[in-house]
């Protein structure tokens, strides 16, 4: 059985009133051996690198109710590479829906009233006017 090297990228955006949108992500390296269940169990254990700016991916998705995305890249040069990437992306996405209890496109922004959105936009504008050196 050939093991295929993959990279699982889970991404989100954290909305920070002081600095605007900030990315957060988790990156996993995992090997796929044509067994979907085994793949799902191993990609969670084989965390290679966690890249988080301002906040952690899980806090973004769960604590702040941010939207998220999933992408699986096949690192090896194999036939049907794109098909396998699509299959594994859908597989991990299904797993993430269970873990987070939400669809990737769901966001707190969708649940806010027009008035709440306006208040946040005004707050961001105020911060940018009064603190121009924050680097947003």
């Amino acid at each position: 059985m050939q093991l295929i090297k993959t990279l699982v990228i889970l991404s989100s955006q954290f909305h920070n009133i002081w600095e605007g949108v900030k990315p957060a992500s988790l990156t996993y390296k995992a090997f796929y051996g044509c067994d979907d269940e085994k793949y799902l169990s191993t990609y969670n254990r084989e965390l290679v690198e966690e890249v988080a700016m301002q906040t952690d991916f899980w806090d973004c998705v769960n604590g702040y109710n941010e939207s998220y995305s999933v992408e699986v890249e096949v690192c090896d040069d194999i036939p049907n590479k794109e098909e396998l990437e699509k299959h594994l992306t859908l597989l991990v996405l299904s797993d993430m829906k269970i873990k987070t209890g939400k669809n990737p496109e769901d966001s707190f922004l969708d649940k806010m009233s027009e008035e709440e959105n306006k208040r946040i936009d005004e707050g961001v504008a105020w911060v940018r006017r009064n603190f121009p050196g924050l680097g947003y």
Side-chain angles (χ1 to χ4, degrees):
M1 170 177 50
Q2 176 191 3
L3 292 179
I4 300 166
K5 184 178 174 183
T6 68
L7 190 64
V8 181
I9 305 163
L10 310 173
S11 302
S12 182
Q13 291 190 118
F14 176 66
H15 292 75
N16 181 322
I17 193 167
W18 296 94
E19 300 172 282
V21 175
K22 292 292 178 182
S25 66
L26 294 178
T27 305
Y28 295 86
K29 180 172 67 176
F31 292 92
Y32 180 70
C34 300
D35 182 337
D36 289 355
E37 286 185 33
K38 187 172 183 181
Y39 183 72
L40 284 179
S41 70
T42 58
Y43 90 81
N44 280 318
R45 285 185 303 221
E46 296 182 17
L47 177 62
V48 171
E49 178 184 8
E50 180 177 334
V51 181
M53 296 180 189
Q54 302 299 315
T55 190
D56 176 80
F57 171 82
W58 294 109
D59 285 341
C60 281
V61 173
N62 296 318
Y64 297 96
N65 200 21
E66 293 278 2
S67 59
Y68 63 92
S69 67
V70 173
E71 180 184 359
V72 177
E73 295 178 4
V74 172
C75 301
D76 296 333
D77 190 21
I78 60 168
N80 303 323
K81 180 177 178 173
E82 289 178 8
E83 288 177 32
L84 183 58
E85 285 177 336
K86 286 179 188 177
H87 170 72
L88 294 177
T89 295
L90 289 174
L91 185 69
V92 174
L93 182 58
S94 298
D95 186 49
M96 287 304 299
K97 286 179 184 179
I98 293 167
K99 284 183 169 62
T100 63
K102 57 186 263 180
N103 291 319
E105 64 276 2
D106 293 345
S107 172
F108 74 94
L109 294 172
D110 300 329
K111 297 176 179 147
M112 291 175 59
S113 70
E114 212 171 291
E115 183 180 302
E116 289 171 313
N117 273 321
K118 184 178 177 187
R119 192 169 60 236
I120 286 177
D121 288 343
E122 288 170 354
V124 169
W126 181 87
V127 167
R128 288 183 175 172
R129 276 193 312 275
N130 292 290
F131 301 94
L134 282 177
Y136 30 79

